[in-house]
């Protein structure tokens, strides 16, 4: 085609004779990019950048600017004779960056004349001088990269005004001011309305939303009960009829509704905007973007902050200002109408509201669970009230419906004539209570549709939120424990529900048969999108029970005991441990689900979305946690003479031997053998159940070594790693279970095996996104960056998570045993050989060899010579095991080298009794082959080391740039700021609080200088540069 086109163009040398062909049709951008890659036969850096620009389109061209040079340590700036520290920009910083974007944004509104509008009747022209100041400060953590470029600033004003501006984030990490932005709208409220609403004046006032006037006298709402001391009823409804959004609007005396930075999510970073609580409430109920709604909820969960300005009033219509944020979240949870769509928020958003309420409660929790009073447990009360409204009836927890029948009646008429579909033609069948009404509605319905009722998502999130609430001392309130008992006790193990009565089923069946006989058009079908009768299918709420069981892992209770000063030890409490009722319910659900799955002949392989069972994994995980909690927090029944008192029984065995003190059915749950029997049961076909049992075995074994004072070798971690490696090597283990066991081995060595509940969290409602978020950020999700209500649930200590703390203490001791250098003779020779045997099996497995297990040793009959190992064709498993090896033995396995030095004893009885015949040998031929392999891969190793060093330099570049350009005054706008250390608060999600504290210590936030500047502004005249 190209030759033909060239011939036509050059033929005759004149344009008159040329045949003009039609231009080729435009091709999609991804086709252009793929063709370019095919022509070049590679994906170079330039092609990658061009592909990004073509795919993004011209509208995003400014965001894709940046140099294409990989800057390394050897690059120098010839102008200043120093290392080149200029940020690489996009795409290098975003694709290869060592961190994401962290940005703090402060919003401040002030009038140009130094005053505020005080009259509601002022026109927009009178307040035209009000302007908005926005200060942005990039936060670069240690080891992070500097991000910069254009960003969208969206400003929403009162009376529906929306404006967007393109601002710039400096690439050097300096503070920048975006503004001023003039606000032309009318203020939402005035100071006079605030005073009237707070009860300071007796004049009647109207709400900020323009509602009816309400007389306020001495802080008592007119129309309510004058003798009442609270503004809310028992259902947490305001006696004056106000919604929380109406109340919080009165605190806003500015025209600004809310501000968003990067609303399209192009930077995909963490952006914290410090604006008043009323702005966040407006964003929650007005912004149609679900991401914006979730951002507002996470910010409201941290309000009011300690550094927030003190308002001139303390309450609005008898509601303390400090309670307004959680009241707004409570209205969202209960389904108050969102003003952007005249409908309640999406159930997924309302589920986040439940978690945000729990975060708020943990941030403002009382010091102890015994503290009661008005507002002490307000967040817990709001969650409990929602659950009682929706799922309680006469003290019984009702089963949840997953589907709703929607009856549709065509309404004749309309602009085009004929049948039209209107909102008045739809009606939910469950909204009708009388039998005659339901029968008539079905009879006259033209269509009966089935839609999903997503309220179960909110119900599950509410249970998790309630279980996660703690006091400041880390204890769970008794109300929460009783609530969880009711939920699990009322959960019918049959759990089969029906949406219809038997007569209604028959009525719908006849109506469907009649519709098919009459050949009703497809546009007026009777049942479902595929004409299948799915309206009355039974359902089993397994996922909801599983989430309730998993929530038990967040419960922390202890028996009340006194200390005997004479005996010098705690007095054994006479009452049962408060966790026993929950353990009994959990054990019952485990036995029920185990029997149910054993009768199912399906091979349930797979972890996560592929698993078919969810109750057993969650029950096993919760039972292990509660068993350890009971064991750790129960004082010893009898203290040995001459020994120091201890709060736990000493574990004398780990695997294979049952303890003598198994007097009750709960004692067996503290032994590893109980969970090993579950894993090895041939009738258990679920990989998720096996993985949860393996996780529990690791927890029990590691917790056995928690006591540092015991003079015994910490073999718990070693035993658990041997157990899981043997199960990985079993030929009948599925690939997904092998990979999960490898990840559990890594969790055990990194202190995560007991705190994140990896297996159970991924088997709850089988949503990988939500489950992954729970594993990374805790049960309450991520925070806005300030006060983190999830930090209490992510901190592993004796007063927050005793069971996880015990497991991590034992795992820490076991890891020291594995990393021991064998120089001081701390451990016995048998232990050294045992570690060497584990290293041998792990190394050969990674190398793709067939390795024998302790149960089935390899022979020439059981394993042919050509058989390969489990890692030969499974790269994911190989990478996971390599990461485990590098974590335990980053340089050398000293026990392996020590055992190899004993090979000179080969042939003696001691050689075989110690098990040295199972330790890998290195012959001279193998050493020579290894040297040749290292020589051949030397060039590749250099490239890898250079890229690793370049990545490290990317993380050090921002700190080096600050050293070159730092000044004495860090408060100036445009001055690069120092990098932020990732302290404990940062690691727990409180990056904003950590940054603020470090900036204050360094004098980079202004400190007292800011106060002096504000005082000068107040006394200055119009026109002065303040």
């Amino acid at each position: 085609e190209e030759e033909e086109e060239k011939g036509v163009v050059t033929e005759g040398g004149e344009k008159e004779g040329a045949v003009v062909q039609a231009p080729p049709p435009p091709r999609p951008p991804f086709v252009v990019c793929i063709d370019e890659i095919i022509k070049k036969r590679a994906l170079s850096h330039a092609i990658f950048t061009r592909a990004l620009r073509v795919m993004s389109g011209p509208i995003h061209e400014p965001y894709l600017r940046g140099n294409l040079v990989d800057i390394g340590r050897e690059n120098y700036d010839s102008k200043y004779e120093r290392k080149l520290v200029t940020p690489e920009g996009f795409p290098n910083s975003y694709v290869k960056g060592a961190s994401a974007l962290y940005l703090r944004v402060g919003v401040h509104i002030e009038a140009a004349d130094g005053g505020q509008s005080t009259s509601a009747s002022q026109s927009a022209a009178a307040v035209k001088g009000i302007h908005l100041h926005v200060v942005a400060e990039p936060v670069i953590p240690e080891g992070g990269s500097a991000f910069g470029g254009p960003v969208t600033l969206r400003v929403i004003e009162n009376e529906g005004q929306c404006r967007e501006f393109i601002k710039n984030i400096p690439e050097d990490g300096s503070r920048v001011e975006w503004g001023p932005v003039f606000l032309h709208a009318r203020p939402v409220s005035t100071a006079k309305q605030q005073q009237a609403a707070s009860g300071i004046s007796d004049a009647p006032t109207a709400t900020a939303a323009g509602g009816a006037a309400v007389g306020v006298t001495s802080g008592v709402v007119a129309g309510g009960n004058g003798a009442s001391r609270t503004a809310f009823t028992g259902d947490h409804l305001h006696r004056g009829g106000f919604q929380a959004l109406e109340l919080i609007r009165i605190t806003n005396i500015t025209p600004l509704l809310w501000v968003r930075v990067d609303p399209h999510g192009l930077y995909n970073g963490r952006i914290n905007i410090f604006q008043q609580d009323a702005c966040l409430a407006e964003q929650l109920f007005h912004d149609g973007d679900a991401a914006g709604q979730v951002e507002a909820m996470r910010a409201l969960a941290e309000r009011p902050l300690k550094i927030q300005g003190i308002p001139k009033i303390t309450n609005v219509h008898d509601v303390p200002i400090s309670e307004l944020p959680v009241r707004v979240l409570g209205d969202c949870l209960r389904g108050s109408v969102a003003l952007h769509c005249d409908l309640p928020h999406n159930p997924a958003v309302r589920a986040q509201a439940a978690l945000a309420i729990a975060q708020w409660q943990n941030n403002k929790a009382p010091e102890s669970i015994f503290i009661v009073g008005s507002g002490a447990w307000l967040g817990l009360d709001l969650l409990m009230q929602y659950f009682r409204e929706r799922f309680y009836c006469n003290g019984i927890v009702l089963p949840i419906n997953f589907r709703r029948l929607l009856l549709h009646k065509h309404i004749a008429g309309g602009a085009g004539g004929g049948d039209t579909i209107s909102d008045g033609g739809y009606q939910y069948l469950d909204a009708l209570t009388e039998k005659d009404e339901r029968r008539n509605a079905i009879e006259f319905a033209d269509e009966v549709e089935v839609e999903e009722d997503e309220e179960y998502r909110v119900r599950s999130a509410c249970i998790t939120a309630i279980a996660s609430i703690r006091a400041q001392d880390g204890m769970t309130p008794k109300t929460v424990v009783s609530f969880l008992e009711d939920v699990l006790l009322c959960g019918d193990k049959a759990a089969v529900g029906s949406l219809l009565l038997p007569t209604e089923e028959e009525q719908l069946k006849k109506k469907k048969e009649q519709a098919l006989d009459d050949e009703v058009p497809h546009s007026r079908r009777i049942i479902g999108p595929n004409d299948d009768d799915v309206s009355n299918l039974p359902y089993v709420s397994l996922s909801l029970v599983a989430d309730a069981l998993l929530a038990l892992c967040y419960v922390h209770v202890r028996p009340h005991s006194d200390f005997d000063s004479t005996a010098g030890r705690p007095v054994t409490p006479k009452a049962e441990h408060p966790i026993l009722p929950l353990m009994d319910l959990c054990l019952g659900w485990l036995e029920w689900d185990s029997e149910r799955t054993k009768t199912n002949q399906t091979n349930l392989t797979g972890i996560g979305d592929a698993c078919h069972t969810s109750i057993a994994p969650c029950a096993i995980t919760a039972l292990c946690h509660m068993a350890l909690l009971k064991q750790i927090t129960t004082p010893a029944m009898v203290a040995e003479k001459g020994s120091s008192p201890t709060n736990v029984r000493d574990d004398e065995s780990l695997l294979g031997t049952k303890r003598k003190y198994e007097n009750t059915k709960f004692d067996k749950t503290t032994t590893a053998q109980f969970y090993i029997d579950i894993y090895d049961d041939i009738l258990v076909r679920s990989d998720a159940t096996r993985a949860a049992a393996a996780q529990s075995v690791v927890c029990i074994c590691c917790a056995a070594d928690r006591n540092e004072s015991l003079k015994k070798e910490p073999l718990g971690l070693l035993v658990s790693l041997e157990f899981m490696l043997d199960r990985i090597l079993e030929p009948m283990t599925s690939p997904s279970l092998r990979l999960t066991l490898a990840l559990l081995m890594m969790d055990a060595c990194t202190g995560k095996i007991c705190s994140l509940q990896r297996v159970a969290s991924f088997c709850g409602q089988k949503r990988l996104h939500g489950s992954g978020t729970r594993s990374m950020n805790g049960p309450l999700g991520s925070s806005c960056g300030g006060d983190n209500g999830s930090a209490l649930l992510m901190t592993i200590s004796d007063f927050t998570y005793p069971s996880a703390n015990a497991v991590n203490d034992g795992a820490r001791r076991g890891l020291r045993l594995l990393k021991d250098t064998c120089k001081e003779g701390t451990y016995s020779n048998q232990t050294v050989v045992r570690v060497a045997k584990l290293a041998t099996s792990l190394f050969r497995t990674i190398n793709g060899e067939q390795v024998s297990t302790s149960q089935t040793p390899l022979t020439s009959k059981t394993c042919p010579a050509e058989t390969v190992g489990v890692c030969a064709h499974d790269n994911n498993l190989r990478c996971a095991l390599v990461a485990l090896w590098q974590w335990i033995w980053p340089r050398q396995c000293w026990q392996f080298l020590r055992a190899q030095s004993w090979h000179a004893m080969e042939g003696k009885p001691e050689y075989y009794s110690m098990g040295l015949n199972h330790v890998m040998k290195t012959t001279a031929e193998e050493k020579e082959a290894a040297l040749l392999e290292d020589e051949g891969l030397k060039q590749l190793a250099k490239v890898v080391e250079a890229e690793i060093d370049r990545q490290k330099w990317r993380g050090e570049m921002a700190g080096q740039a600050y050293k070159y350009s730092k000044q004495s005054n860090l408060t100036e706008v445009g001055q690069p700021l120092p990098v932020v250390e990732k302290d404990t608060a940062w690691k727990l999600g409180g990056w904003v609080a950590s940054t603020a504290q470090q900036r204050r210590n360094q004098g980079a936030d202004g400190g007292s200088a800011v106060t002096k500047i504000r005082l000068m502004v107040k006394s200055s005249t119009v026109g002065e540069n303040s």
Side-chain angles (χ1 to χ4, degrees):
E1 291 180 0
E2 293 179 358
E3 294 178 358
E4 181 180 356
E5 184 179 354
K6 291 179 181 179
V8 171
V9 172
T10 58
E11 184 179 0
E14 296 180 0
K15 295 183 179 180
E16 291 80 1
V19 179
V20 180
Q21 293 185 348
R27 295 181 297 175
F30 70 90
V31 176
V32 177
C33 300
I34 294 176
D35 288 347
E36 189 72 18
I37 296 174
I38 294 176
K39 290 180 181 179
K40 299 295 183 179
R41 297 182 180 179
L43 181 61
S44 62
H45 202 139
I47 296 178
F48 171 72
T49 306
R50 182 173 179 271
L52 285 178
R53 291 175 177 170
V54 172
M55 295 291 291
S56 302
I59 191 173
H60 295 143
E61 183 70 23
Y63 297 91
L64 302 179
R65 292 180 299 181
N67 60 71
L68 306 179
V69 180
D70 288 334
I71 301 176
R73 297 180 187 271
E74 66 281 358
N75 299 111
Y76 277 83
D77 190 349
S78 58
K79 181 178 180 180
Y80 299 101
E81 296 183 354
R82 64 189 185 188
K83 291 184 177 181
L84 188 61
V85 293
T86 304
E88 295 173 310
F90 193 90
N92 281 5
S93 294
Y94 290 84
V95 177
K96 305 178 181 179
S99 69
L101 170 68
Y102 291 89
L103 183 68
R104 293 200 305 166
V105 179
V107 176
H108 176 65
I109 301 175
E110 62 181 2
D113 57 355
Q116 296 284 355
S117 59
T118 58
S119 176
S121 61
Q122 286 181 313
S123 62
V127 295
K128 198 170 183 178
I130 299 179
H131 51 273
L132 168 69
H133 291 279
V134 180
V135 179
E137 176 188 295
V139 178
I140 305 175
E142 56 181 356
S145 304
F147 293 84
V151 67
T152 302
L153 173 66
R154 178 180 295 173
V155 179
I156 310 296
E157 299 182 49
N158 193 19
E159 301 172 347
Q161 299 188 29
C162 175
R163 290 181 289 171
E164 288 190 352
F165 307 89
I166 301 298
K167 301 299 181 178
N168 186 66
I169 302 177
E171 294 183 350
D172 57 357
S174 59
R175 190 182 293 117
V176 63
E177 182 176 357
W178 296 336
V181 177
F182 287 89
L183 304 179
H184 306 284
R186 191 188 306 272
V188 177
S189 182
T190 62
K192 188 174 182 179
Q193 289 178 334
Q194 283 188 354
Q195 294 176 359
S198 63
I200 298 177
S201 64
D202 296 337
T205 180
T207 64
V214 178
V216 181
T217 304
S218 301
V220 179
V221 181
N225 188 0
S228 177
R229 297 183 179 180
T230 177
F232 289 91
T233 64
D235 297 334
H236 290 280
L237 299 176
H238 198 277
R239 296 185 184 274
F242 293 105
Q243 295 291 326
L245 181 61
E246 298 177 279
L247 299 177
I248 203 170
R249 276 176 176 169
I250 300 177
T251 65
N252 185 9
I253 56 176
T254 68
L256 179 68
L257 291 187
W258 74 86
V259 171
R260 288 194 68 186
V261 177
D262 191 27
H264 307 293
L266 297 178
Y267 282 86
N268 194 25
R270 302 292 301 275
I271 302 177
N272 179 276
I273 305 177
F274 186 81
Q275 51 189 332
Q276 55 183 326
D277 300 345
C279 297
L280 298 173
E282 298 282 2
Q283 181 179 344
L284 175 58
F285 279 91
H286 281 88
D287 196 346
D289 184 12
Q293 296 170 7
V294 174
E295 290 175 3
M297 286 189 295
R298 290 174 178 172
L300 286 171
E302 302 174 358
R303 300 303 179 92
L305 299 177
K306 295 181 180 179
I307 60 175
Q308 195 169 5
I310 301 176
K312 296 181 180 180
I313 58 176
T314 58
N315 63 81
V316 177
H317 291 309
D318 288 346
V319 181
I321 292 181
S322 59
E323 295 182 3
L324 289 178
V326 72
R327 295 287 184 183
V328 172
L329 295 173
D331 285 353
C332 176
L333 172 64
R334 299 172 72 167
S336 295
V337 174
L339 303 180
H340 69 276
C341 62
D342 292 333
L343 291 172
H345 289 85
N346 186 278
V349 176
R350 293 170 52 221
Q352 294 296 321
L355 302 180
I357 292 175
Q359 283 200 27
W360 185 93
Q361 180 63 75
N362 287 342
N363 289 330
K364 312 299 185 294
E367 295 181 357
S368 172
I369 60 175
F370 302 105
I371 296 179
V372 294
S374 178
W377 300 99
L378 179 58
L380 177 59
D381 294 340
L382 291 174
L383 292 171
M384 296 290 290
Q385 179 61 31
Y386 160 78
F387 201 90
R388 292 191 189 100
E389 288 178 354
R390 304 296 177 93
F391 310 107
Y392 261 93
C393 181
N394 298 326
I396 299 177
V397 180
L398 299 177
I400 187 69
N401 288 334
F402 291 90
R403 294 177 296 275
R404 303 182 70 182
L405 287 184
L406 186 62
L407 307 178
H408 181 206
K409 178 65 177 178
H410 291 288
I411 299 178
D419 293 344
T420 59
I421 299 175
S422 64
D423 293 338
Y426 289 95
Q427 190 175 24
Y428 287 106
L429 182 61
D430 55 12
L432 305 176
T433 57
E434 299 294 335
K435 293 183 178 180
D436 295 338
E437 292 180 349
R438 294 168 63 94
R439 183 178 63 254
N440 295 333
I442 296 175
E443 180 67 27
F444 293 101
D446 293 321
E447 294 183 10
V448 182
E449 300 178 359
V450 180
E451 70 175 28
E452 181 184 11
D453 185 7
E454 295 184 313
E455 196 68 20
Y456 70 89
R457 301 177 186 269
V458 189
R459 180 186 188 274
S460 178
C462 186
I463 294 176
T464 302
I466 292 175
S468 302
I469 290 178
R470 304 275 191 91
Q472 291 185 12
D473 58 359
M475 302 300 295
T476 301
K478 295 182 179 179
T479 307
V480 174
V481 179
S482 301
F483 167 78
L484 293 175
E485 291 179 11
D486 294 340
V487 171
L488 293 176
L489 186 61
C490 295
D492 185 9
K493 292 181 175 62
V496 177
S498 176
L499 296 176
L500 301 175
L501 298 174
T503 56
E504 295 171 350
E505 293 181 27
E506 188 66 23
Q507 187 180 4
L508 277 176
K509 185 180 296 184
K510 293 180 179 179
K511 194 172 185 65
K512 177 185 177 181
E513 294 174 354
Q514 180 183 358
L516 296 177
D517 295 338
D518 297 341
E519 297 183 355
V520 177
H522 184 71
S523 59
R524 299 184 58 185
R525 57 181 176 265
I526 301 299
I527 295 293
N530 299 317
D531 291 333
D532 294 329
D533 188 3
V534 297
S535 60
N536 201 32
L537 290 178
Y539 59 89
V540 182
S541 54
L542 297 183
S543 61
L544 301 182
V545 177
D547 285 345
L549 291 170
L550 183 59
L552 301 180
C553 298
Y554 314 125
V555 175
H556 179 202
V557 291
R558 295 173 182 260
H560 180 71
S561 61
D562 298 326
F563 187 81
D564 189 354
S565 58
T566 305
R569 56 186 175 87
V571 178
T572 303
K574 298 181 180 179
E576 290 185 343
H577 198 289
I579 202 67
L580 288 180
L582 294 178
M583 290 183 63
D584 190 15
L585 293 171
C586 185
L587 190 59
W589 278 106
L590 175 60
E591 294 174 353
W592 173 83
D593 192 59
S594 299
E595 292 297 327
R596 182 183 64 87
T597 54
K598 286 179 181 179
T599 58
N600 188 2
Q601 300 300 322
T602 306
N603 186 17
L604 305 179
T605 59
I607 303 296
D609 279 350
C611 67
H612 299 270
T613 183
S614 54
I615 288 183
C618 295
I620 291 172
T621 303
L623 192 61
C624 176
H625 276 66
M626 291 187 293
L628 290 176
L629 178 65
K630 172 183 174 294
Q631 187 185 57
I632 294 168
T633 57
T634 301
M637 300 297 294
V638 179
E640 296 182 4
K641 185 180 297 185
S643 62
S644 59
T646 178
N647 290 336
V648 296
R649 303 184 182 97
D650 297 337
D651 294 290
E652 299 178 355
S653 62
L654 296 173
L655 300 179
T657 304
K658 297 196 174 184
R659 296 174 174 83
K660 298 179 181 179
Y661 54 80
E662 294 179 9
N663 297 323
T664 65
K665 63 180 179 180
F666 303 116
D667 291 333
K668 64 180 181 180
T669 60
T670 60
T671 63
Q673 190 63 40
F674 174 76
Y675 304 100
I676 293 176
D677 293 340
I678 296 177
Y679 187 99
D680 293 337
D681 192 346
I682 59 175
L683 297 179
V684 175
R685 300 180 178 86
S686 171
D687 281 353
T689 303
R690 292 193 183 100
Q695 185 182 25
S696 301
V697 170
V698 178
C699 293
I700 296 296
C701 292
C702 292
D705 298 329
R706 61 187 176 272
N707 197 340
E708 193 78 41
S709 61
L710 296 178
K711 302 300 181 181
K712 67 174 185 178
E713 296 179 342
L715 300 177
L717 180 61
L718 176 60
V719 170
S720 60
L721 294 181
E722 292 174 343
F723 167 78
M724 286 192 288
L725 184 58
D726 285 345
R727 269 54 182 183
I728 289 176
L729 297 175
E730 288 181 354
M732 299 303 294
T733 305
S734 65
S736 59
L737 181 57
R738 286 195 179 110
L739 181 59
T740 303
L741 294 176
L743 295 177
L744 291 176
M745 294 171 71
M746 191 67 179
D747 286 347
C749 297
T750 54
K752 303 176 183 177
I753 189 64
C754 190
S755 57
L756 297 183
Q757 305 99 21
R758 175 190 291 271
V759 176
S761 63
F762 278 86
C763 297
Q765 292 188 7
K766 306 176 185 178
R767 295 194 300 268
L768 294 182
H769 180 269
S771 301
T773 301
R774 175 180 291 180
S775 293
M776 296 299 297
N777 301 309
L780 299 181
S782 62
S783 68
C784 191
D787 295 338
N788 188 356
S790 294
L792 190 63
L793 303 170
M794 299 171 63
T795 305
I796 307 302
S797 62
D798 184 59
F799 81 97
T800 56
Y801 264 129
S803 55
N805 184 65
V807 173
N808 287 346
D809 287 345
R812 195 177 299 111
R813 294 187 62 204
L815 193 61
R816 287 201 299 263
L817 182 146
L818 296 177
K819 292 177 174 287
D820 185 62
T821 58
C822 303
K823 294 182 180 179
E824 300 178 357
T826 308
Y827 304 105
S828 62
N829 293 338
Q830 290 78 5
T831 302
V832 172
V833 174
R834 192 169 180 178
V835 175
K837 291 166 60 178
L838 173 66
T840 298
S841 299
L842 184 60
F843 183 85
R844 287 178 172 172
T845 302
I846 295 173
N847 201 35
E849 302 177 19
Q850 182 74 12
V851 183
S852 63
T853 63
S854 57
Q855 291 81 10
T856 56
L858 292 181
T859 62
S860 58
K861 296 182 180 180
T862 59
C863 180
E866 63 273 8
T867 304
V868 295
V870 295
C871 285
H873 305 290
D874 194 341
N875 292 330
N876 294 328
L877 178 61
R878 185 195 300 268
C879 292
L881 295 179
V882 168
L884 175 66
W885 179 281
Q886 291 294 328
W887 177 259
I888 301 177
W889 302 295
R891 296 183 180 275
Q892 293 285 348
C893 177
W894 302 104
Q895 293 89 342
F896 181 73
L897 298 178
R898 180 73 178 275
Q900 282 188 335
S901 65
W902 294 334
H903 281 310
M905 301 167 52
E906 187 174 2
K908 298 181 180 180
E910 295 84 359
Y911 181 83
Y912 299 98
S913 62
M914 294 176 61
L916 291 173
N917 55 321
H918 297 290
V919 178
M920 183 173 58
K921 301 178 182 179
T922 304
T923 62
E925 292 79 6
E926 291 175 342
K927 291 182 179 180
E928 184 178 356
L931 293 176
L932 294 176
E933 184 178 356
D934 293 341
E935 185 67 24
L937 299 176
K938 184 179 296 184
Q939 297 299 325
L940 180 60
K942 289 182 178 179
V943 174
V944 174
E945 292 176 358
E947 186 60 30
I948 293 176
D949 182 72
R950 182 171 295 171
Q951 188 69 9
K952 291 181 180 178
W953 173 243
R954 287 190 178 95
E956 300 172 3
M957 194 181 301
Q960 192 67 31
Y962 168 72
K963 293 180 181 179
Y964 289 155
S965 59
K966 67 177 180 179
Q967 301 177 6
S968 58
N969 187 8
L970 297 178
T971 61
E972 295 181 359
V973 177
Q975 162 64 27
L977 299 174
V979 297
V980 178
E981 180 184 356
K982 291 185 177 180
D983 54 8
T984 305
W986 182 291
K987 295 177 181 179
L988 291 175
W991 65 275
V992 175
S994 174
T995 302
Q997 183 65 31
Q998 295 185 47
R999 292 279 192 261
R1000 175 57 58 91
N1001 295 336
Q1002 298 166 350
D1005 64 343
S1008 60
V1010 175
T1011 305
K1012 295 180 181 178
I1013 293 176
R1014 289 176 179 173
L1015 292 175
M1016 292 172 57
V1017 171
K1018 184 177 181 181
S1019 60
S1020 62
T1021 59
V1022 179
E1024 290 185 5
N1025 185 10
S1026 56

